[in-house]
Coordinates of all heavy atoms in Angstrom, one line a residue:
S199 N 61.6 195.3 89.9 CA 62.8 195.0 89.0 C 64.1 195.3 89.7 O 65.2 195.0 89.1 CB 62.7 195.8 87.7 OG 63.0 197.2 87.9
L200 N 64.2 196.0 90.8 CA 65.4 196.5 91.4 C 66.2 195.3 91.9 O 65.7 194.4 92.6 CB 65.1 197.4 92.6 CG 64.4 198.7 92.3 CD1 64.1 199.5 93.5 CD2 65.1 199.5 91.2
E201 N 67.4 195.2 91.4 CA 68.3 194.1 91.8 C 69.8 194.6 91.8 O 70.2 195.5 91.1 CB 68.2 192.9 90.9 CG 68.5 193.2 89.4 CD 68.4 192.0 88.5 OE1 68.2 190.9 89.1 OE2 68.4 192.1 87.3
R202 N 70.6 193.9 92.7 CA 71.9 194.3 92.8 C 72.8 194.2 91.6 O 73.7 194.9 91.3 CB 72.6 193.5 94.0 CG 74.0 193.9 94.4 CD 74.4 193.2 95.7 NE 73.5 193.7 96.7 CZ 73.4 193.1 97.9 NH1 74.1 192.1 98.2 NH2 72.6 193.6 98.8
R203 N 72.4 193.2 90.7 CA 73.2 192.9 89.5 C 73.2 194.2 88.6 O 74.3 194.5 88.0 CB 72.5 191.8 88.7 CG 73.1 191.5 87.4 CD 74.6 191.2 87.5 NE 74.9 190.1 88.5 CZ 76.1 189.9 88.9 NH1 77.1 190.6 88.6 NH2 76.2 189.0 89.9
T204 N 72.2 195.1 88.7 CA 72.3 196.3 87.9 C 73.4 197.2 88.3 O 74.2 197.7 87.5 CB 71.0 197.1 88.1 OG1 69.9 196.3 87.6 CG2 71.0 198.4 87.2
S205 N 73.6 197.4 89.6 CA 74.7 198.3 90.1 C 76.1 197.6 89.9 O 77.0 198.3 89.6 CB 74.4 198.7 91.5 OG 74.3 197.5 92.4
L206 N 76.2 196.3 90.1 CA 77.4 195.6 90.0 C 77.9 195.6 88.5 O 79.1 195.9 88.2 CB 77.3 194.2 90.5 CG 77.2 194.1 92.0 CD1 76.9 192.6 92.4 CD2 78.3 194.6 92.8
D207 N 77.0 195.3 87.6 CA 77.3 195.2 86.2 C 77.8 196.6 85.6 O 78.8 196.7 85.0 CB 76.2 194.8 85.3 CG 75.9 193.2 85.5 OD1 76.7 192.6 86.2 OD2 74.9 192.8 85.1
V208 N 77.1 197.7 85.9 CA 77.5 198.9 85.5 C 78.8 199.4 86.1 O 79.7 200.0 85.5 CB 76.4 200.0 85.6 CG1 76.3 200.5 87.0 CG2 76.7 201.2 84.7
A209 N 79.1 199.1 87.4 CA 80.3 199.5 88.1 C 81.5 198.9 87.4 O 82.5 199.5 87.3 CB 80.2 199.1 89.5
A210 N 81.4 197.6 86.9 CA 82.4 196.9 86.2 C 82.8 197.6 84.9 O 83.9 197.3 84.4 CB 82.1 195.5 86.0
R211 N 81.9 198.4 84.4 CA 82.2 199.1 83.1 C 82.4 200.6 83.2 O 82.5 201.3 82.1 CB 81.0 198.8 82.1 CG 80.8 197.3 81.8 CD 79.8 197.1 80.8 NE 80.0 197.8 79.5 CZ 79.1 197.9 78.5 NH1 78.1 197.2 78.5 NH2 79.5 198.6 77.4
L212 N 82.5 201.1 84.4 CA 82.6 202.6 84.5 C 84.0 203.1 83.9 O 84.1 204.2 83.5 CB 82.6 203.0 86.0 CG 81.2 203.0 86.6 CD1 81.3 203.3 88.1 CD2 80.2 203.9 85.9
G213 N 84.9 202.2 83.8 CA 86.2 202.6 83.2 C 86.1 202.9 81.7 O 87.0 203.6 81.1
E214 N 85.0 202.6 81.1 CA 84.8 202.9 79.7 C 84.4 204.4 79.5 O 84.5 204.9 78.4 CB 83.6 202.0 79.1 CG 83.9 200.5 79.1 CD 82.7 199.7 78.7 OE1 81.8 200.3 78.1 OE2 82.7 198.5 79.1
F215 N 84.0 205.0 80.6 CA 83.7 206.5 80.5 C 84.9 207.3 80.8 O 85.3 207.4 82.0 CB 82.6 206.9 81.4 CG 82.0 208.3 81.3 CD1 81.1 208.6 80.3 CD2 82.5 209.3 82.1 CE1 80.7 209.9 80.1 CE2 82.1 210.6 82.0 CZ 81.2 210.9 81.0
T216 N 85.6 207.9 79.9 CA 86.9 208.5 80.0 C 86.8 210.0 80.0 O 87.8 210.7 80.1 CB 87.7 208.0 78.9 OG1 87.2 208.3 77.6 CG2 88.0 206.6 79.0

Side-chain angles (χ1 to χ4, degrees):
S199 75
L200 299 178
E201 59 177 350
R202 186 167 299 166
R203 178 54 51 193
T204 302
S205 56
L206 292 175
D207 285 352
V208 75
R211 295 185 58 183
L212 287 176
E214 299 174 19
F215 186 81
T216 57

